[in-house]
Amino acid sequence: MIESADLDRIVEWAAVAGLDEALVARLRGEWPGVHFTWCSDDDIQGPPPVRERPGFNLYLVDSRDHCLRLTGDAAVATGVVLATVEPE
């Protein structure tokens, strides 16, 4: 489970710092039980993002049943994908 307040903080940090390896490392340090991934939004297929901001989207990952999949349900989320949105 990932709390809504935690998602808000993650989005805030990403909006201020920008998406890069340093941010991902900082997030992993702050939330050691949550898996963080950074990729391009073009690589994502599935449910819509749970948070959208200029320049990036945030998705949730569910790793139950030994299979990773995107979810919109923070109650079952075990990870976060930060996805860079390229300007059109």
Side-chain angles (χ1 to χ4, degrees), residues 4 15-16 25 31 37-39 41 52 57-58 63-64 82 84 86:
S4 181
V16 170
W31 290 277
T37 303
W38 169 42
C39 68
D41 197 67
E52 295 179 80
N57 290 327
L58 189 140
S63 64
R64 295 176 301 163
L82 297 157
T84 303
E86 298 298 328

Side-chain angles (χ1 to χ4, degrees), residues 31-53:
W31 290 277
V34 177
H35 180 79
F36 287 91
T37 303
W38 169 42
C39 68
S40 171
D41 197 67
D42 292 340
D43 295 332
I44 302 289
Q45 294 182 12
V50 294
R51 301 283 197 283
E52 295 179 80
R53 296 296 183 272

